Amino acid sequence: LICGPPACLKTTLVQILRLILNHQLINLQSHCIAKLFESRIQQSSHVFVSFDQLFLGYENDIIENETNWKAYRTLIADEIERVILSKTANNLPTHLKHASSIRHRLSQSFECLHSQSILFIEDNFYYSSMRHRYRQIAQRAHIGFIIIHLYSNFSVAYQRNQRRECSKRVSASAMENIYSKYELFPEELLINTTLRGVTSEHLKEILRRIEKSCREPEDTVESIDDEQRRIATEINQRNFMYQLDQKLRKFLSKYLQDFSQNEKKLYAEKINKHRQEFLDSVKQKFILVNTDDDVEEVFRRFLKEQNFS
């Protein structure tokens, strides 16, 4: 899966991967990528599925209606599972207006799909349960699986979105809604595109992980129900916020050391207010922070955006 909020360079990554896998990016001559060209990645066919392309022309009927949107996501996952597990086609009637068109577009994408193919699926997948559904498919089929997760701060993503053609822009309200619901997990390959976009180092790690997943198929694991997953998510979130706050407090303590007593009191009040605003933004997902990120640097950028000096 290639996933992440809007304007975090998912489509850009897909375009780059297409070029690499078709031997069209001749400037990438690093030893790592050259070795990966010789691996089973290059020996496989590559199939790309984008939800944006599947929904093209039907956006108003599908995306703007949340109930319909969830039903179409289920339809796509069911169809992908059917193809991967070689199940009989499900021709049962459905109330979904564009179901037959979506299935037809998927079948066209799967014309070159076979047992040695690598399937790339691109969408937001902002709930962990959405991504888990595809991991379950891989486990049932005993095939490799990887989640490539691109993310950036909301302000940067919003600016990128504004530079798109009008027809390709995501509404500000939709972006805020997706960011507010987003769930990041450290076991996924997390790529922060805020400052440098997608780098050659990112590409090396992505190709390495893909090659590894080709060698190491998913094992079937005991299923976890939705309530257990929700509780585990809440616990992880609370632990993460506590650790984040401790890192910020340690940073502020160092930051205020060089101030006089009077200045320290004044600045401490101001910067602690920004600390709380920063934590609130992280909770609301307007700032996406991964456990491996340099928290001090992310907070410094936040202070700069708030014109704090």
Side-chain angles (χ1 to χ4, degrees), residues 196-228:
R196 300 171 59 205
V198 179
T199 69
S200 58
E201 290 302 312
H202 291 150
L203 291 172
K204 292 176 188 177
E205 181 60 17
I206 288 168
L207 291 172
R208 189 189 71 79
R209 294 284 192 100
I210 294 173
E211 199 275 336
K212 182 182 178 184
S213 71
C214 288
R215 289 186 284 104
E216 301 176 6
E218 290 285 309
D219 291 324
T220 302
V221 296
E222 186 177 343
S223 62
I224 301 175
D225 64 34
D226 291 340
E227 180 63 14
Q228 289 175 302

Side-chain angles (χ1 to χ4, degrees), residues 69-239:
W69 182 73
K70 288 180 180 178
Y72 277 104
R73 294 186 70 87
T74 300
L75 173 78
I76 292 169
D78 288 346
E79 192 66 13
I80 289 174
E81 180 173 18
R82 182 190 68 77
V83 171
I84 289 176
L85 296 179
S86 302
K87 293 182 178 179
T88 305
N90 177 10
N91 295 314
L92 294 175
T94 173
H95 69 283
L96 298 175
K97 179 179 178 182
H98 305 293
S100 60
S101 297
I102 298 295
R103 284 177 174 144
H104 177 67
R105 288 177 177 181
L106 272 171
S107 68
Q108 287 182 314
S109 299
F110 292 155
E111 284 178 355
C112 299
L113 190 71
H114 55 75
S115 61
Q116 298 301 312
S117 297
I118 298 177
L119 174 62
F120 296 86
I121 306 173
E122 180 221 335
D123 190 44
N124 294 317
F125 294 111
Y126 54 80
Y127 284 138
S128 61
S129 58
M130 297 174 178
R131 307 188 295 267
H132 183 68
R133 171 69 197 280
Y134 287 89
R135 184 180 293 279
Q136 287 179 318
I137 294 172
Q139 288 168 349
R140 293 188 188 108
H142 197 57
I143 57 177
F145 180 81
I146 179 176
I147 298 173
I148 304 168
H149 209 134
L150 281 67
Y151 69 101
S152 70
N153 286 354
F154 179 81
S155 58
V156 172
Y158 181 80
Q159 291 169 11
R160 288 179 185 149
N161 185 56
Q162 291 302 104
R163 292 195 292 268
R164 288 170 164 170
E165 297 176 18
C166 290
S167 61
K168 295 182 179 179
R169 285 179 195 162
V170 179
S171 69
S173 60
M175 287 190 68
E176 290 176 3
N177 182 48
I178 290 173
Y179 264 82
S180 68
K181 297 176 179 177
Y182 224 92
E183 297 174 349
L184 288 174
F185 284 92
E187 67 268 20
E188 300 166 354
L189 174 53
L190 303 176
I191 296 176
N192 189 340
T193 67
T194 302
L195 292 179
R196 300 171 59 205
V198 179
T199 69
S200 58
E201 290 302 312
H202 291 150
L203 291 172
K204 292 176 188 177
E205 181 60 17
I206 288 168
L207 291 172
R208 189 189 71 79
R209 294 284 192 100
I210 294 173
E211 199 275 336
K212 182 182 178 184
S213 71
C214 288
R215 289 186 284 104
E216 301 176 6
E218 290 285 309
D219 291 324
T220 302
V221 296
E222 186 177 343
S223 62
I224 301 175
D225 64 34
D226 291 340
E227 180 63 14
Q228 289 175 302
R229 191 175 295 109
R230 183 190 66 77
I231 292 171
T233 299
E234 287 183 0
I235 293 172
N236 288 338
Q237 178 69 4
R238 285 198 298 269
N239 291 341

Side-chain angles (χ1 to χ4, degrees), residues 1-4 9-12 14-15 48-54 119-125 164:
L1 299 187
I2 297 176
C3 54
L9 308 183
K10 298 187 298 297
T11 303
T12 299
V14 167
Q15 292 170 343
F48 290 85
V49 172
S50 165
F51 277 46
D52 285 347
Q53 292 301 312
L54 293 177
L119 174 62
F120 296 86
I121 306 173
E122 180 221 335
D123 190 44
N124 294 317
F125 294 111
R164 288 170 164 170

